[in-house]
Amino acid sequence: MSRASLRQQLRRLINTSSLRWLLIVPFTVQIASIVGVVGYFSWKNEEETVANLIGQLLNQTENRVNQHLTQYLSVPPQLAQINADAIRLKHLKTVDLKGIGRYFWKQMQLYDVSYISYVSPTGEYAAAGKFLPNQGVTIDYKSRYILDKTYTFATDSDGNPTKVAATYDNYDPLIEDSYQKAIEAGKLVWTQPYNWDETPEYISISATKPIYDEKKQLICVIAVDLLLSKMSDFLRQLNISQSGQVFIIDRDGLLIASSSQEQPFILKQGKAQRVSVFNSQDKLVAGSAKYWQQKLGSLTAINEPKNAEFILNRQKLFTHITPWRDRFGLDWLVVVVVPESDFTEQLVAGRRTTITIIAVALLVAIMTTLMLSRWLTEPILKFNQAAKEIAAGNLARTVKVHHPQELKQLATSFNYMAEELARSFATLERNNAELEDRVKERTASLAAKEAELRAIINAMTELIMVIDNQGRYLKVVANSQLLILEEEFVLGKTIFEVFPPQQAEEFMACIHTVLTQQHPVTIEYSILVQSQETWFSTNISPLPNDQVMIVARNVSDRKAAARALEQTNQELIQAIEQLKTAQADLVQSEKMAVLGQLIAGIAHEINTPLGAIQASISNIKYGFQQSLATLPQILQKLSPEQIADFLSLLDITQSPSPNLSSREERQLKRQLKQELNRLNVANANLLAEYLVRIGLKGDLTPWILLLQHPDSCDIFQTASYLVSIDTNSGNIELAVTRASQIVLALKNYARQDVALELVNASVIEGIETVLTIYHNQLKRGIKVIQNYDQVPDIFCYPEKLTQVWSNLIGNAIQAMNYQGELEIGVFLDGEDRHLVVTITDSGPGIPLELQEKVFQPFFTTKPYGEGTGLGLDIVKKIVLQHQGKISLDSRPGKTTFTVCLPLTVEYTEG
């Protein structure tokens, strides 16, 4: 039997069946199908229950392992960040290696880590850790003055070094993986796991962080080590199943930790080598790792949690693998593997109960369907009978139904419909008569509106045309006075028959554009009317049926006026350009004149730091020669404890200290001499002089071993040579910085104003540039008070504003005759919309009758030959160009110029 024949028989059966059977049969078939499906899934449930239970166990184990990894491995990065903040905030001084060692020792008492270290770029080293047997937490030091020795000190209960526990020759922390990784990454990262040389049974990993200063120069590297063996201890405590295993590996397949008793490393010739998971002695661990390797091709391809089942030695295993990462570079895999045999004996239940419930549900559903079908069909048969009577003309027929609620509402609606149908027939007859009267009234109204529209057309000043997509004129509407050609002559013709070919092609291109884009287009064109060029402005708009409407207006008068205006504008632009050139030359001449007056003082300012550099280099050379000759002999005579004190002395005295006057030096020398005599130290007078040189003052007890040494004078003399090298190096740096500031300020001031557009710049930086240039004049006897608030950068022409500050500050200096007080203020106004700059001098002031003239060109209060009278005129023009304003308030002893600039400026030329 074909599919079409079967479909026809099924349709025929449905069409001939009663509503009762259509309700009973589908419901019964549907319920029976559901019962069958439920029975099938109940049978499958026994197998899936085991899989679901194991899946829950795998996910629970994974969550516990991930939580432990997150907590355990978060300590070293946090501790590295804490130490980095302590160094960056100068709570921990990098020059004090002893202090760093004690600080790390205290952290070892509080945190579960194995080693904390500090390494400077010069090889200095300080650390605390647990790696020597029976020594507890020890402290390591390596000074930059003795780079071939590293000392390990035993400590007391307070973290103070007690004795040298070990000494290491030629240890270089700069080649350690923890240092190299930090420098390479430039941020906090993890190293690869590694075994300690002294104790290979320890596997560690380091969180290492570089620390930079404000100039992006490396200060040091902080590293915190963590033992990974404790992770294996945690995994062994997990109660997975009777024989299940959980292990952690890296992306190369090397074991990190495992719940089995197998160690993640093996010893070969006394050196530890990490074990590959594929070579593990535990069959479940090795088998599950090989399965994932074969399935995915590579362990690096695993980027999300995955579950799987596989067979190993005729045993079904469930395995789960998930990647674990942190934001500092760790990328590990956590694998859980569980045999199915650990659970199958516990999960076979509920089969008989399920079958019984299904059978009872099927029986109840069939009986309910029979009762429901009978209950629903009886009211529907009543509706059928009533509908037949209404169709026969009995509009008064109604239906009474008492149940269910929906059919009861349907009966009410059915009865209401019958009543409305009767009323509608009556209303329809009345409406037919009214419609005929409305048609007559509408016809008369249309005739009146047509007459009104014709009057509007006669009053129009535009020509309106309708053209199709072939360029054919369909309608022309216009005042008869506007028609160039008769309407009868144009209608029915194309654009090509009315206009020249080239102009007709342009018209057609515009029409096609409007029809394609369905968007109006405006064009202008000219034609010859009675041998005279006439211009039209035309708007082309799309209409339905591939037609356009053209509205044309005569704009010949406007065109003539536009040509005259264009010629006038060109003449005005040429005049403005000439004025700009003259103004720019004038501004630059004024700037160069000021710069010429300042050049001698600037040369003196540059020679001063150059002389300081030359003297400091001579001092450094002498100190280096003397320390190079005596330092090796001194170190050979000192014990390890004295060497540590000597290095600490150098680190402390390297810290910057204020310069002392001669009187203060004499007072300090007398105090130190009295303290040395109190301590019964020989050569007190000479030692006091050396201590003053190296800047050591206060309590001398920490250095008593060095002071009472037979060669104490040579020791402290050598220390003074080393300190002088550092001091003079700092003097050179200050001198170079000062000279660079002067040269940069001169360069910024002297260059031409090349900014054609507004840029975001700092007003305070421009003022500081001018103060640097005028430094030689200011230092003669002018006190500068700088009251700068925190203000944002503004959009401006920076070089032009520098000219403003130069003129105002230069005038103030000359007004005070190089003696007085200059106060500069920078702040925002009350509404934070303008930046205000005030420049106040203590000069004699400007007479009231002259204050209105100071901004006029060529007006000056200076003696003849000392000024052009253009400075303040240029200042005012620059401020106005920035859409700002400048004002003057002057009285004897106080003259203030106030410049108010908006935070945002619209671009203006000139």
Side-chain angles (χ1 to χ4, degrees), residues 442-617:
R442 186 62 176 167
T443 302
S445 175
L446 289 175
K449 289 192 176 293
E450 182 179 0
E452 181 181 355
L453 181 61
R454 177 55 59 184
I456 293 174
I457 292 175
N458 291 332
M460 285 193 317
T461 59
E462 288 86 8
L463 177 63
I464 302 176
M465 295 166 286
V466 177
I467 301 176
D468 62 13
N469 58 355
Q470 302 298 323
R472 190 175 305 279
Y473 289 91
L474 303 180
K475 293 182 182 179
V476 177
V477 180
N479 189 334
S480 59
Q481 298 178 357
L482 298 176
L483 289 175
I484 300 174
L485 300 174
E486 293 294 332
E487 181 177 351
E488 293 77 7
F489 176 78
V490 175
L491 287 177
K493 293 187 178 181
T494 65
I495 291 177
F496 295 96
E497 297 175 278
V498 177
F499 289 96
Q502 182 177 357
Q503 202 167 34
E505 290 288 350
E506 295 175 356
F507 273 128
M508 286 305 301
C510 292
I511 291 172
H512 290 158
T513 300
V514 171
L515 292 175
T516 301
Q517 300 180 355
Q518 288 295 302
H519 189 75
V521 171
T522 301
I523 61 173
E524 292 187 354
Y525 62 93
S526 64
I527 59 176
L528 292 177
V529 179
Q530 297 179 355
S531 302
Q532 183 176 359
E533 184 181 34
T534 303
W535 280 89
F536 287 89
S537 175
T538 301
N539 181 271
I540 307 175
S541 303
L543 295 175
N545 302 323
D546 284 342
Q547 298 176 0
V548 298
M549 180 173 66
I550 298 179
V551 180
R553 177 189 292 269
N554 190 330
V555 293
S556 299
D557 294 340
R558 178 170 63 81
K559 280 290 184 179
R563 284 194 294 268
L565 180 61
E566 178 67 21
Q567 183 177 358
T568 303
N569 286 341
Q570 292 296 329
E571 295 175 355
L572 183 60
I573 290 173
Q574 292 177 0
I576 291 174
E577 290 297 329
Q578 293 174 359
L579 181 60
K580 286 181 181 180
T581 302
Q583 184 179 8
D585 293 342
L586 197 59
V587 171
Q588 187 65 16
S589 298
E590 178 72 11
K591 184 186 293 187
M592 292 299 102
V594 173
L595 190 60
Q597 298 173 4
L598 300 175
I599 199 67
I602 293 173
H604 175 74
E605 288 295 313
I606 294 177
N607 285 332
T608 299
L610 291 179
I613 292 172
Q614 184 177 7
S616 297
I617 291 175

Side-chain angles (χ1 to χ4, degrees), residues 107 206 213 276 298 300 310 384 392 450 642 673 699-700 757:
Q107 288 183 333
S206 295
D213 60 14
S276 172
S298 173
T300 59
F310 67 98
N384 184 33
E450 182 179 0
Q642 292 172 335
K673 184 177 178 180
D699 186 15
L700 301 180
E757 297 182 356

Side-chain angles (χ1 to χ4, degrees), residues 622-623 626-627 630 693 716-725:
Y622 176 77
Q626 295 298 323
S627 61
T630 60
R693 291 181 186 177
F716 283 91
Q717 183 182 31
T718 302
S720 68
Y721 291 148
L722 294 174
V723 171
S724 69
I725 294 174

Side-chain angles (χ1 to χ4, degrees), residues 176 220 240 325 367 385 477 880:
E176 290 288 350
C220 65
I240 305 173
R325 304 182 179 92
M367 295 178 63
Q385 182 62 33
V477 180
L880 293 177

Side-chain angles (χ1 to χ4, degrees), residues 59 62 292 302-307 320-323:
N59 291 333
E62 174 213 338
W292 286 115
I302 301 174
N303 295 316
E304 59 184 9
K306 294 181 181 296
N307 293 312
H320 177 84
I321 188 168
T322 182

Side-chain angles (χ1 to χ4, degrees), residues 8 14 62 83 140 174 210 216 231 236 434 444 470 474 602 633 654 666 759 839 851:
Q8 290 178 359
I14 293 174
E62 174 213 338
N83 292 337
D140 298 343
L174 300 182
K216 304 300 181 183
M231 293 169 53
R236 295 187 186 103
E434 294 176 358
Q470 302 298 323
L474 303 180
I602 293 173
Q633 300 174 4
Q654 294 293 325
R666 290 193 299 270
V759 297
I839 298 177
Q851 292 182 13

